[in-house]
Amino acid sequence: MNHEHERHGHPAPTTAARAAPGFWNRARRSHAFVIGAALTLLVLCMAALSFLWTPHSAYDVDMNAALQPPDATHWLGTDAYGRDIVSLLLVGARSSIMVGVIAVGIGLLVGTALGLLAAARRGWIEELVMRIADFTFAFPALLLAIMLTAVYGASIRNAIIAIGIFYIPTFARVTRAAANQIWSRDYVLAARACGKGSSRITIEHVLPNMLPSLIVQATIQFALAILAEAALSYLGLGTQAPEPSWGRMLAEAQTLMFQNPLLSVWPGAAIALTVLGLNLLGDGLRDLLDPRLARQR
């Protein structure tokens, strides 16, 4: 069937295209996908809502209202500076999503390009790309953030750069492995026999057929990026005051564990539910976009 497409001048159908019929019917039966999508949508709605409305200002300090318990005015209480917890959680969702989107975007774009280049050219180019990826793996996001902080100072921008650089070899390896499998397929061999160059084959055949793998990988890495941002902010290397951040909320709550333990529960629960939702969404997408698993459903 793939040869027929080649003979008529059409690219081979992608995995996503083959999996499209009945996708939503199968998605509704996937508990992981439904729960993950619901939790992820909830976090996205929180971030979007914070641009339009919050119960109180997330930036105004009111020491007279510090450490108030939950009541009708402050639904989850206030922190040590009198700021409303609900407002902090809503605005903090922005930072987490922004870091996740930009950092994963950096890793996805650069890593995918390097992985495709390595698979298409092979030889010394593939070896060079993979060795650079191995070298980059020696510098985790936390270490990169510390190095950038020492030179340029602590900021959310440096945290995003550190996380993004750390993700480049991850996506490069995933892309190279998936692309190498596709390069051995019959429809790619037929395209080469028709005189198509490596660049054209990569764009028309390799990249479209590996999109499902990249989507699943990006979803999972998004969850890890949120965890990394929270960890960096907790250490004072990420989001800086007065911008709210779930990681900074945890850092500020650690000295008040015995006075007000709920201060650490709310941001911790937000991080946990967000990561859980993205991981479940990634697992659900992997099952739905894998044609072998799709045929079993």
Side-chain angles (χ1 to χ4, degrees):
M1 182 166 181
N2 290 323
H3 293 291
E4 290 297 325
H5 281 272
E6 290 299 332
R7 281 197 291 267
H8 288 84
H10 300 293
T14 66
T15 302
R18 293 192 295 269
F23 175 86
W24 292 111
N25 290 331
R26 291 183 288 109
R28 286 194 291 268
R29 297 196 298 269
S30 173
H31 299 301
F33 178 84
V34 172
I35 296 173
L39 290 175
T40 303
L41 182 61
L42 175 62
V43 176
L44 292 175
C45 289
M46 288 173 58
L49 180 63
S50 69
F51 286 102
L52 304 174
W53 172 86
T54 54
H56 302 273
S57 172
Y59 304 94
D60 293 343
V61 173
D62 183 5
M63 298 305 297
N64 293 324
L67 299 178
Q68 287 189 0
D71 56 27
T73 303
H74 302 283
W75 302 334
L76 298 180
T78 60
D79 69 355
Y81 301 100
R83 298 173 297 182
D84 181 64
I85 297 296
V86 173
S87 302
L88 291 174
L89 291 174
L90 290 175
V91 178
R94 283 191 227 160
S95 300
S96 296
I97 292 175
M98 180 183 69
V99 170
V101 169
I102 299 177
V104 172
I106 292 172
L108 181 63
L109 292 176
V110 180
T112 299
L114 291 175
L116 290 173
L117 177 65
R121 298 300 181 183
R122 297 296 184 92
W124 68 269
I125 294 180
E126 182 180 27
E127 188 69 18
L128 177 62
V129 170
M130 290 302 101
R131 296 296 74 79
I132 293 176
D134 292 339
F135 177 78
T136 308
F137 266 129
F139 296 90
L142 179 58
L143 181 57
L144 284 173
I146 293 174
M147 293 169 59
L148 289 173
T149 298
V151 178
Y152 300 105
S155 69
I156 190 171
R157 179 192 63 187
N158 293 335
I160 291 173
I161 294 173
I163 299 171
I165 292 175
F166 179 71
Y167 281 157
I168 290 175
T170 301
F171 282 102
R173 285 176 172 273
V174 170
T175 301
R176 172 192 172 241
N180 281 339
Q181 292 181 357
I182 296 172
W183 272 97
S184 63
R185 301 283 172 83
D186 290 341
Y187 55 85
V188 173
L189 297 177
R192 297 181 71 174
C194 292
K196 290 185 178 180
S198 298
S199 299
R200 186 175 175 187
I201 292 175
T202 298
I203 295 173
E204 293 184 359
H205 302 283
V206 178
L207 182 58
N209 278 280
M210 62 184 300
L211 279 179
S213 299
L214 292 177
I215 292 172
V216 173
Q217 188 67 26
T219 304
I220 295 173
Q221 296 302 325
F222 198 122
L224 297 178
I226 289 177
L227 276 178
E229 186 277 332
L232 292 174
S233 296
Y234 179 85
L235 296 173
L237 303 176
T239 306
Q240 300 298 301
E243 192 65 29
S245 165
W246 293 343
R248 285 189 59 253
M249 291 176 68
L250 283 174
E252 293 168 356
Q254 69 176 349
T255 58
L256 301 169
M257 287 292 294
F258 296 103
Q259 293 176 258
N260 194 336
L262 287 178
L263 286 179
S264 60
V265 170
W266 305 126
I271 295 170
L273 289 176
T274 302
V275 172
L276 174 63
L278 287 167
N279 281 330
L280 289 175
L281 182 61
D283 289 342
L285 286 172
R286 181 194 60 202
D287 295 343
L288 292 169
L289 295 176
D290 190 324
R292 293 168 298 179
L293 296 174
R295 285 193 293 267
Q296 298 174 5
R297 292 180 178 272

